[in-house]
Amino acid sequence: MATSQDRNLTLSVKDFGPIYSAEVELRPLTVFVGPSNTGKSYLAILIYALHKFFNSSRTMNLSFFHRHRGLLDEHEISEEDITRLIDGVDEIVSRVNDGSPIPLPDEVASLIRPMLSDVLLGDDLAPEIMRCFGIDETRKLIRHGSEESAKVALLSKTPDSPETGYNYSPLYKFDIKKETLPASIPDTAPLQIGKDAIEEYIQIKSEIKSFGPKWPNSQERRFLAVALIENIFEYIVSYFTNPMSRPAYYLPADRTGIMHAHKVVVGSLIQGASRAGLRPGRPLPVLSGVLADFLEQLIELGDLSSRRKRPKGNLAQRLEREILSGSIRIENSETGYPVFSYRQTGWTEDLPLMNTSSMVSELAPVVLYLRHVVSPGEVLIIEEPESHLHPAMQVAFIRHLAAAVRSGIRVIITTHSEWVLEELANLVRISDLPESRRKGIGGADYALRPDQVGTWLFEPQKRPKRSVVKEIPLDVDYGGFRSDYDDVAIGTHNDWATISSRIEES
């Protein structure tokens, strides 16, 4: 369902972690910027947890659907319901034009909404969120000082009248309370059908009509009507969550140290777990889900069958050639555990990754994920991609991330780097130039449209201590994304001027 997968969802949170409020549209390249301890990683981990949850066995549109398949009994379907269903499908067919999603007619929506109201997934969602954060109680995610709960919602941006622009309708919401996490699909969620499902509906509708009017209230007629309603129900639930059901991968901020010592970390955890029974007073080490998943994926790279192969000239090869000046290599030990190394261009021997520069070990997992793990249509979350990189390399790396976005990979980054923001601004600004006028401009091959990039500032507030998230628009007059970095630059410049002035006076 391309129309469902390609659209952006907006994530709304209230009183979550250090965040008082945020409403973030998840675009192909989403950037979180701001001071430390304002919630950038908190929000990134929440996004990862939602992707893991909705992607797990296609939770919403497969296991969840089958679990609730008995919600509708064919004996509860009246002849009036069947007539409304047939009329509704006819109305859906009449609205098919440009391929845009079609609002579900009221006569069909009235049959679907009661089924949606019985859908509660909080019991399944809470363990995944706690796992990803490495906590044992949901109350630890509620903002300190909040008297109620943390509120999270997935919103769909739908066109409204020309005067008001867009509406944001909640598709799925949940409250994070001290002990529970109730979740639901709101009664106001818009119900829409894509063009790709119409043909099947027409066929089932024709079969239903073939049993009437000679066979009114026949078992076959009611059975087909139930099948059509459940088919529409499955599509609706799938449409709600398909953008969040993409596989997601998280590269944590401390990935350099993990790449150097991942074998020791895993060995220590296994050793500690195996001795837990002998020493009950010894606490077991705890890893957050994002860190555990990262370690597990590194280990899985030792299995040749788990490595996805990419065509020659792929993103990973370009990153190695243009930034690392060498290649990241994987060999299996006798136990099947992967050993990572680096071979500089022109060398005949490998260098253990722990003996390479911090830049190489920092970018090694990105290379490995682009080569063997993440594919177009999936999500790659990277904390602080600028870590251990010279400003020139930061600029070059952001261009390669833009290339990944252009290839169909969705990217989310957290950053403290003004060089990252400045290069992103340039890449967006280049898109306003015709391709014939881009020759000779750095990054011309990596241009991104304004609607592909979203930059969000996590702005701290002191009283009460919390952060508010707001979008930073591209300011053409200013020359980039106006963040809080200018305040730091102005402050240091003013300090220099004051120091110089006093030196002259003395």
Side-chain angles (χ1 to χ4, degrees), residues 182-462:
S184 64
I185 295 175
D187 292 337
T188 56
L191 307 185
Q192 296 177 310
I193 290 293
K195 183 179 179 181
D196 51 323
I198 302 300
E199 187 174 339
E200 184 176 359
Y201 298 161
I202 294 174
Q203 180 180 350
I204 300 177
K205 182 205 71 170
S206 299
E207 294 177 9
I208 294 173
K209 294 181 72 174
S210 70
F211 285 96
K214 291 183 179 181
W215 294 281
N217 295 314
S218 69
Q219 183 177 355
E220 292 85 353
R221 183 175 168 89
R222 290 198 304 269
F223 177 81
L224 288 169
V226 169
L228 178 54
I229 292 172
E230 289 184 339
N231 194 305
I232 295 173
F233 167 76
E234 182 179 12
Y235 187 98
I236 291 294
V237 174
S238 173
Y239 182 84
F240 282 166
T241 59
N242 253 355
M244 294 305 293
S245 68
R246 302 180 178 99
Y249 306 95
Y250 199 107
L251 301 185
D254 51 354
R255 55 190 172 274
T256 298
I258 297 171
M259 291 300 293
H260 284 167
H262 66 290
K263 186 184 294 187
V264 176
V265 171
V266 174
S268 175
L269 289 173
I270 294 173
Q271 184 180 39
S274 65
R275 295 182 179 180
L278 299 176
R279 289 186 284 174
R282 180 176 183 264
L284 284 173
V286 176
L287 290 178
S288 68
V290 293
L291 187 54
D293 290 349
F294 180 53
L295 284 168
E296 182 180 3
Q297 287 153 10
L298 290 179
I299 294 171
E300 287 177 350
L301 289 176
D303 180 2
L304 293 176
S305 63
S306 69
R307 301 180 193 173
R308 298 180 182 177
K309 295 183 178 180
R310 300 288 186 263
K312 193 173 182 179
N314 64 43
L315 296 168
Q317 288 178 329
R318 291 168 59 184
L319 186 58
E320 289 174 313
R321 182 176 63 251
E322 298 176 15
I323 295 184
L324 296 183
S325 300
S327 60
I328 305 299
R329 302 165 68 84
I330 308 176
E331 292 184 2
N332 285 0
S333 64
E334 294 180 357
T335 61
Y337 195 89
V339 177
F340 305 109
S341 61
Y342 167 75
R343 179 177 295 186
Q344 187 165 331
T345 302
W347 287 17
T348 57
E349 296 183 358
D350 295 342
L351 187 66
L353 201 61
M354 65 179 299
N355 298 130
T356 64
S357 70
S358 57
M359 180 190 75
V360 172
S361 56
E362 182 70 24
L363 294 183
V366 181
V367 169
L368 294 172
Y369 272 59
L370 290 177
R371 178 185 294 146
H372 300 298
V373 181
V374 64
S375 292
E378 300 178 346
V379 180
L380 181 61
I381 303 173
I382 308 177
E383 283 195 89
E384 301 176 17
E386 71 274 8
S387 295
H388 304 292
L389 300 186
H390 182 277
M393 293 297 101
Q394 293 181 35
V395 170
F397 185 35
I398 288 304
R399 291 175 182 175
H400 284 278
L401 289 183
V405 173
R406 288 166 61 97
S407 76
I409 296 173
R410 298 178 75 94
V411 176
I412 298 173
I413 64 172
T414 69
T415 183
H416 295 284
S417 171
E418 61 179 311
W419 310 104
V420 167
L421 289 186
E422 289 184 3
E423 180 57 20
L424 281 176
N426 286 344
L427 296 180
V428 174
R429 187 62 170 154
I430 291 172
S431 67
D432 289 336
L433 270 178
E435 291 192 15
S436 60
R437 300 289 306 280
R438 299 179 188 178
K439 186 176 180 180
I441 299 177
D445 294 335
Y446 307 94
L448 297 172
R449 301 188 311 274
D451 64 313
Q452 292 178 291
V453 180
T455 305
W456 306 88
L457 175 64
F458 289 63
E459 192 171 59
Q461 297 180 343
K462 293 184 178 179

Side-chain angles (χ1 to χ4, degrees), residues 148-181:
E148 299 182 3
S149 61
K151 299 182 183 298
V152 181
L154 292 174
L155 311 177
S156 178
K157 184 178 180 181
T158 55
D160 198 8
S161 65
E163 293 78 16
T164 57
Y166 289 90
N167 277 332
Y168 287 88
S169 304
L171 299 179
Y172 180 81
K173 65 180 182 180
F174 58 92
D175 290 352
I176 301 176
K177 298 187 176 182
K178 291 184 178 180
E179 297 178 355
T180 60
L181 198 153

Side-chain angles (χ1 to χ4, degrees), residues 2-304:
T3 56
S4 175
Q5 280 280 3
D6 292 343
R7 79 190 198 281
N8 301 330
L9 287 184
T10 294
L11 178 64
S12 172
V13 303
K14 178 83 171 176
D15 288 328
F16 178 75
I19 303 170
Y20 173 67
S21 65
E23 201 164 279
V24 175
E25 184 179 3
L26 303 176
R27 297 174 191 160
L29 177 55
T30 302
V31 183
F32 295 160
V33 62
S36 300
N37 298 323
T38 53
K40 299 186 298 299
S41 294
Y42 250 76
L43 199 58
I45 293 174
L46 175 62
I47 293 168
Y48 176 74
L50 290 173
H51 276 285
K52 292 290 287 185
F53 171 69
F54 286 119
N55 178 254
S56 176
S57 300
R58 304 281 293 179
T59 303
M60 287 295 283
N61 31 334
L62 287 181
S63 65
F64 153 74
F65 168 66
H66 292 298
R67 190 190 321 163
H68 294 274
R69 196 176 184 90
L71 287 174
L72 199 61
D73 191 303
E74 63 186 58
H75 299 291
E76 298 176 1
I77 299 299
S78 66
E79 188 63 32
E80 182 182 354
D81 291 335
I82 295 176
T83 300
R84 288 160 52 202
L85 181 62
I86 293 172
D87 292 342
V89 171
D90 287 336
E91 184 177 347
I92 292 173
V93 174
S94 69
R95 294 184 186 180
V96 176
N97 43 34
D98 61 353
S100 300
I102 305 159
L104 207 61
D106 293 340
E107 52 264 48
V108 180
S110 63
L111 300 172
I112 299 296
R113 286 202 184 277
M115 301 170 69
L116 293 175
S117 66
D118 289 333
V119 176
L120 296 175
L121 288 172
D123 291 342
D124 298 327
L125 177 60
E128 182 60 36
I129 290 180
M130 289 191 292
R131 185 192 74 86
C132 287
F133 279 93
I135 59 174
D136 55 2
E137 295 178 286
T138 55
R139 66 178 181 85
K140 295 179 180 179
L141 296 173
I142 303 173
R143 185 179 63 82
H144 180 72
S146 172
E147 297 180 357
E148 299 182 3
S149 61
K151 299 182 183 298
V152 181
L154 292 174
L155 311 177
S156 178
K157 184 178 180 181
T158 55
D160 198 8
S161 65
E163 293 78 16
T164 57
Y166 289 90
N167 277 332
Y168 287 88
S169 304
L171 299 179
Y172 180 81
K173 65 180 182 180
F174 58 92
D175 290 352
I176 301 176
K177 298 187 176 182
K178 291 184 178 180
E179 297 178 355
T180 60
L181 198 153
S184 64
I185 295 175
D187 292 337
T188 56
L191 307 185
Q192 296 177 310
I193 290 293
K195 183 179 179 181
D196 51 323
I198 302 300
E199 187 174 339
E200 184 176 359
Y201 298 161
I202 294 174
Q203 180 180 350
I204 300 177
K205 182 205 71 170
S206 299
E207 294 177 9
I208 294 173
K209 294 181 72 174
S210 70
F211 285 96
K214 291 183 179 181
W215 294 281
N217 295 314
S218 69
Q219 183 177 355
E220 292 85 353
R221 183 175 168 89
R222 290 198 304 269
F223 177 81
L224 288 169
V226 169
L228 178 54
I229 292 172
E230 289 184 339
N231 194 305
I232 295 173
F233 167 76
E234 182 179 12
Y235 187 98
I236 291 294
V237 174
S238 173
Y239 182 84
F240 282 166
T241 59
N242 253 355
M244 294 305 293
S245 68
R246 302 180 178 99
Y249 306 95
Y250 199 107
L251 301 185
D254 51 354
R255 55 190 172 274
T256 298
I258 297 171
M259 291 300 293
H260 284 167
H262 66 290
K263 186 184 294 187
V264 176
V265 171
V266 174
S268 175
L269 289 173
I270 294 173
Q271 184 180 39
S274 65
R275 295 182 179 180
L278 299 176
R279 289 186 284 174
R282 180 176 183 264
L284 284 173
V286 176
L287 290 178
S288 68
V290 293
L291 187 54
D293 290 349
F294 180 53
L295 284 168
E296 182 180 3
Q297 287 153 10
L298 290 179
I299 294 171
E300 287 177 350
L301 289 176
D303 180 2
L304 293 176

